[in-house]
Amino acid sequence: MFDNTDDIHPLFADAPSSTEFKKLRKRIVRQTREAIEHYGMVERGAKWLVCLSGGKDSYTLLAVLHELKWRGLLPVEILACNLDQGQPNFPATVLPEFLEKMGVPHRIEYQDTYSIVKDKVPAGRTYCALCSRLRRGNLYRIAREEGCSAVVLGHHRDDILETFFMNLFHGGRLATMPPKLVNEEGDLFLYRPLSFVAEADCEKFAKALKYPIIPCDLCGSQDGLQRQQVKQILDGWERNSPGRRQVMFRALMNARPSHLLDSGLFDFAGLERNSEQFEISSGNVPDLR
């Protein structure tokens, strides 16, 4: 199917014919499908609001979901959505023109949350947390207005791993971005289909297809973020031990509550030993006569 260009989606019109790219594309498609199936994201006939920021990750998400849909493996309706938050110098025409050219159904929404964030966040502090909450609230609203059952985001494996270490180092908890959750109101799912996909693969994919990347640092608040510090630590570990990121990610899928310290997850107080086995092992063999 990767060599058939007769009915190829415009999102793949500029795809390189190299073996390297074909392997990359197959890997991303396979990993995305695995995440969707593993976490039970598909409701047949559902409608997904696929959020497009203009970054490499969201472009990769949009393209791969359309490929899965084209292959008959994703029986859902896809509506792309960009939320223009009023960031300075945001190129407002790039995404509408791109989506029109690609023939992708979409909605462009303008909400000046940037001004709210600037007003509420003290000087010198990062805007990301409040900006993210405001963005999420607007996306949930748009999803309801469009009759969507899920908001779909482009967070990848490295985002999930970095968030885990941010919570570990700075939040004092073992938690990260889940691939699937229900919003607080209980009426919408939130999905992350790229949960198994490496950031480096998203970057190679979007670059190879020449998607018009919009940087994530337009607001100027990215320097010195905790996430950047964690990313540097993980990069160092990966350089010294290639494959370390994937090993750590697998650990997030292999939690053992009985070998942690959270009594809310495991009943340590109710844990009992086998008293008869203890007597045998200590030499106090019961008289069976």
Side-chain angles (χ1 to χ4, degrees):
M1 61 150 292
F2 292 101
D3 300 317
N4 183 5
T5 59
D6 293 339
D7 56 353
I8 193 169
H9 195 281
L11 285 165
F12 293 94
D14 294 325
S17 58
S18 66
T19 300
E20 181 181 3
F21 177 78
K22 290 178 181 178
K23 289 181 178 179
L24 171 67
R25 180 174 171 179
K26 288 181 180 179
R27 180 167 63 249
I28 294 175
V29 170
R30 184 190 73 248
Q31 291 172 338
T32 303
R33 183 185 180 189
E34 287 175 353
I36 289 173
E37 293 181 349
H38 186 79
Y39 294 103
M41 298 181 189
V42 173
E43 293 178 289
R44 184 171 294 275
K47 185 177 181 181
W48 286 6
L49 188 77
V50 178
C51 303
L52 189 67
S53 66
K56 63 185 185 305
D57 312 325
S58 62
Y59 278 124
T60 300
L61 173 68
L62 183 69
V64 172
L65 293 182
H66 273 87
E67 173 135 332
L68 288 171
K69 185 174 174 63
W70 176 68
R71 294 175 66 181
L73 299 173
L74 188 63
V76 303
E77 182 180 348
I78 294 174
L79 177 68
C81 176
N82 171 249
L83 178 63
D84 181 346
Q85 295 179 261
Q87 291 176 321
N89 303 316
F90 183 79
T93 62
V94 170
L95 286 172
E97 291 176 357
F98 173 81
L99 294 168
E100 287 288 347
K101 180 181 177 181
M102 297 298 158
V104 174
H106 62 277
R107 172 170 169 175
I108 306 296
E109 179 86 2
Y110 178 80
Q111 292 289 331
D112 185 10
T113 62
Y114 177 78
S115 296
I116 298 174
V117 171
K118 286 283 288 183
D119 180 63
K120 299 294 184 183
V121 178
R125 300 289 297 275
T126 178
Y127 305 148
C128 296
L130 178 56
C131 180
S132 177
R133 288 198 296 272
L134 293 173
R135 179 172 62 249
R136 190 71 55 83
N138 277 288
L139 291 174
Y140 286 154
R141 172 183 56 79
I142 295 168
R144 295 184 186 102
E145 292 173 358
E146 296 290 345
C148 297
S149 60
V151 171
V152 185
L153 304 177
H155 295 126
H156 46 65
R157 180 201 68 180
D158 297 76
D159 287 325
I160 291 173
L161 194 57
E162 289 160 13
T163 300
F164 171 79
F165 279 102
M166 288 174 66
N167 282 318
L168 179 66
F169 294 156
H170 303 289
R173 60 183 179 272
L174 298 181
T176 189
M177 300 171 172
K180 176 182 179 180
L181 60 81
V182 177
N183 67 336
E184 292 182 0
E185 294 79 6
D187 63 331
L188 292 168
F189 283 116
L190 188 145
Y191 297 147
R192 296 182 172 98
L194 298 184
S195 291
F196 294 169
V197 179
E199 180 179 16
D201 281 353
C202 292
E203 185 171 4
K204 293 175 186 175
F205 184 85
K207 184 177 180 179
L209 286 163
K210 303 176 183 177
Y211 292 147
I213 305 298
I214 299 173
C216 181
D217 58 355
L218 294 172
C219 60
S221 68
Q222 295 295 314
D223 292 340
L225 284 181
Q226 294 173 348
R227 184 173 293 275
Q228 294 301 319
Q229 296 170 353
V230 168
K231 185 185 288 288
Q232 291 172 7
I233 293 172
L234 296 180
D235 285 344
W237 288 347
E238 187 70 23
R239 282 194 301 271
N240 293 331
S241 302
R244 178 67 60 86
R245 266 191 170 94
Q246 185 59 23
V247 172
M248 291 187 292
F249 183 79
R250 285 205 306 270
L252 297 180
M253 303 175 65
N254 189 28
R256 299 185 179 182
S258 64
H259 286 58
L260 296 173
L261 281 73
D262 191 340
S263 59
L265 295 178
F266 187 81
D267 183 14
F268 292 99
L271 193 62
E272 296 181 355
R273 61 181 172 82
N274 186 320
S275 58
E276 181 175 321
Q277 181 64 35
F278 174 76
E279 291 175 355
I280 294 174
S281 63
S282 61
N284 299 321
V285 181
D287 188 353
L288 302 178
R289 291 175 296 177

